[in-house]
Amino acid sequence: MSTSITDKTYKKLAIQVSLNGLSFCVFDTLSTDPMVLQHIPFDNFQRSAKIEDLFTSVFRENPELKHRYDEIVVIHSNNLSTFVPIALFDEEFLGSYLQYNTKVFETDFFTFDTLDKYEMNNVYIPYVNMNNFFIDQYGSFEYKHANSILVSKLLDISKNNEERKMFVHVSETHFEIVVVQNQKLHLYNSFEYKTPEDFIYYILFTAEQLQLNPEHFRLEFLGTIVESDALYQIAYKYIRNVALFDVLEFKNNFTEKENREHFILLRS
């Protein structure tokens, strides 16, 4: 990373990592515009390989990852996170916040992102082996959890909107439900799914718990989903107001599908 003002590149690199693949985006820091966007999926065969070997291959085939940048951020994408109001937060007990929604071990490393604006922290388990690889590559970098970006951006968008709205961010093996109303977080949860029936069950169950009427509340999708998907179609069958999240206000050179799929990376 650059340290001297004469070495500044005016570029930022954001890398989003998961067990299913790696995505990265290069930003112009003067205009804040994204310039390069790339997604590299790991297939089932590759996932059995060592992370270090996978990443070494990705770095070899994508020279942008080896350029100099003024800023580097690594985004950990998994369902091992939970939000805790600052008033209830104690840094000495990070693991206890996660034990209610995921299996935790004494050897796990816990950390948290602070969302000062919304007076809460996101407690999570990062991929330590991935961080170690990036330390070898870059020396120093910032890292955070994908859901810290997702929730904070959706809360920002909800400003002055008194309608309770449900957002669902879809990934390959799990999805997040975020319910917001005028910069207040009513619910955040993550669910694993295998079938469209699993998917709609969790959405309808969540709506019932929050007394959201499927005839009235609005549901918007982000992530890896298009209207022709079975997930979208089953939601459309049971919920009246369903739509893909409108990304047209985000002006860049990428498609609507790319902006929706990489919402978190492009907002980093």
Side-chain angles (χ1 to χ4, degrees), residues 25-28 31-38 247-260 262 266-267:
C25 185
V26 177
F27 296 86
D28 180 325
S31 65
T32 70
D33 291 335
M35 302 159 58
V36 177
L37 178 64
Q38 186 71 33
V247 293
L248 290 178
E249 65 181 277
F250 304 114
K251 307 296 184 187
N252 55 48
N253 295 322
F254 305 113
T255 66
E256 285 187 45
K257 181 176 180 292
E258 287 173 320
N259 270 277
R260 206 170 284 117
H262 299 288
L266 291 168
R267 304 280 88 70

Side-chain angles (χ1 to χ4, degrees), residues 12 14-17 25 27 37 73 75-78 144-151 153-154 169-171 174 176 222-223 258-268:
K12 167 186 168 182
I15 307 174
Q16 186 168 347
V17 293
C25 185
F27 296 86
L37 178 64
V73 59
I75 303 158
H76 293 262
S77 183
N78 59 33
K144 61 181 68 174
H145 197 277
N147 293 332
S148 301
I149 300 170
L150 175 68
V151 169
K153 296 305 177 186
L154 293 179
H169 184 276
V170 182
S171 301
H174 61 92
E176 282 70 48
L222 294 142
E258 287 173 320
N259 270 277
R260 206 170 284 117
E261 181 174 345
H262 299 288
F263 175 83
I264 293 170
L265 183 62
L266 291 168
R267 304 280 88 70
S268 65

